[in-house]
Amino acid sequence: MKNLLYRSIANISAPIRMRYRLTRPALLAWLLRQDQLHEHAVVRLHFLAWVGCIGMPAYYLIWTMWFPQKFESPGLRILGFVLCLPALLFPRKIKRNWLRPYEFISVTYVMPFFFSYMFLMNHGSAVWGESLLLALILLFQFDSLWALLSCSAGALAACLLYVVLGDPNASGDFHALPLVLEQAPIYVFTIVIVALTKIGRRLLASEKLAGMAQALAMVSHELRTPLISISANVRGIARAIPGAEEGVPEALERIGFEVRHMNQMIDLFLMSAAAMNQQLAPNERVSMAELVNGVIGRYPFVSGEQRRLVSVVVRSDFAFRGRQELASVVLLNLLRNALKALQRAGKGKVRIIVDGARKRPRLLLMDSGCGIPARQLPYIFERFYSYPANTGAGIGLALCKDIVHAWHGKIRCRSREDLYTVFALEFPPARRAADASTTPRPPRAINDRVERVNEA
């Protein structure tokens, strides 16, 4: 009877366990997006706190001393200053659960509520009408739905306060309301235009990326034909003049090496172009040590001396869920950047460390080349940003970040100018990767749905 009960429980729980395994990648992707949104929100809030803490007292002086307005409220400005102060002094100490409510309350108060209320109390003056318009443009740089909720809540609160307290400077009640209704279509039109502009920017970036991938693939394919011809002619010349003058065989060997080098670089470009257009969801179990050795073996080093600048240390191998070719693209891009840093600095070495013994196994790629200035470091993973300027398309590190994040990993960079650069790639714990690799493969239709969720 007991065994029958256990089997019944197992039969009931099996579909639940299977559903959990299928939804776990989507849950992990969601948690990763929340972590990224948290980091972006902290930086954005810190910037707005600076604007609020400086703007509130500064514009009080401007609107009372130099260009007096009909209505001013030091109390409301002090409250706005106090709301901005925590994000200015210790932005990263605001707990994750409190960050979004704090951001919503402070932004709603400082922008839609404060500017709407001052607009009403100053009888719809041109100064406050334009100020409100600028506040709405800044507000809708946030997520559109979030900004719409904030705008609605702030404007409604301002109108209620205006109705409750009245207008001491008006001859009749609610003198400013007709002016507000008159200018409301302008504000609505501004909100629509800003929202459409944001959509257009996203579409433009997507089209630019797709165009770059197509152009890169086309150019790479076109280069194949002349390289094949050069390689064939070099072999023909070498066979035709076996007893050539001194230096000719070395020159032919050098030409052959350059052809092989260009072919390998074309392979890298083609893999990068393919990675821009394909799904990034993990579907293979990849050994990090084998991956590193394979990348070192296929990288087109300029010379044996350059190859000796790169050393590999395997402290402890580990496996992760990913895609072999996409992982090669990540490492090839990072190694290429490191060797370029050595070339620009005219010194240094590259060291790759595989460290799987940690709680979160990681790969470190370090170089002692030119380094990255602190002012440039926050932008290196942004798409179409390149440093030094005009040295690339700005898609390599952005692509690396997209790939690693799609596998529930993290990529970080630390650097000091003229000293070093360290890229750290962290992956989910080995047990999680092992569990994922032994999970029974669900039907293809379910797999497709899971991959689409991971991409979202």
Side-chain angles (χ1 to χ4, degrees), residues 76 113 117 120-121 155-167:
L76 292 178
F113 169 77
Y117 184 69
L120 290 168
M121 296 300 287
L156 181 62
C159 291
L160 289 175
L161 186 63
Y162 177 73
V163 169
V164 170
L165 296 183
D167 189 347

Side-chain angles (χ1 to χ4, degrees), residues 66-143:
W66 290 295
F67 306 102
Q69 300 296 305
K70 294 179 181 179
F71 176 82
E72 256 300 339
S73 173
L76 292 178
R77 289 190 178 272
I78 290 172
L79 181 56
F81 180 86
V82 170
L83 278 174
C84 293
L85 208 55
L88 179 65
L89 298 178
F90 36 85
R92 299 187 184 280
K93 292 186 178 179
I94 302 174
K95 292 183 178 180
R96 183 184 296 268
N97 294 338
W98 291 100
L99 179 65
R100 294 297 283 177
Y102 169 75
E103 183 183 36
F104 185 83
I105 292 171
S106 58
V107 169
T108 300
Y109 178 87
V110 170
M111 284 196 278
F113 169 77
F114 180 79
F115 284 93
S116 297
Y117 184 69
M118 298 300 285
F119 174 70
L120 290 168
M121 296 300 287
N122 282 280
H123 305 166
S125 68
V127 166
W128 283 103
E130 293 170 6
S131 299
L132 177 58
L133 196 62
L134 291 174
L136 290 176
I137 292 173
L138 181 60
L139 177 65
F140 276 84
Q141 299 306 310
F142 290 78
D143 177 74

Side-chain angles (χ1 to χ4, degrees), residues 23-42:
T23 57
R24 182 169 56 181
L27 291 173
L28 290 172
W30 180 82
L31 290 172
L32 179 63
R33 287 197 298 272
Q34 296 309 305
D35 184 62
Q36 294 171 348
L37 290 173
H38 174 80
E39 186 65 24
H40 294 161
V42 167

Side-chain angles (χ1 to χ4, degrees), residues 25 28-30 32-33 35-36 40 280-282 330 360 381 398-412 424-428 454:
L28 290 172
W30 180 82
L32 179 63
R33 287 197 298 272
D35 184 62
Q36 294 171 348
H40 294 161
L280 305 180
V330 172
R360 288 183 65 89
F381 291 107
L399 180 62
C400 293
K401 180 181 177 181
D402 290 343
I403 292 172
V404 174
H405 282 188
W407 300 341
H408 320 304
K410 294 181 180 180
I411 179 170
R412 290 194 289 267
L425 282 68
E426 293 186 348
F427 295 88
N454 286 340

Side-chain angles (χ1 to χ4, degrees), residues 104 140 142-152 198:
F104 185 83
F140 276 84
F142 290 78
D143 177 74
S144 297
L145 180 59
W146 188 94
L148 187 62
L149 291 173
S150 175
C151 179
S152 303
K198 287 171 63 179

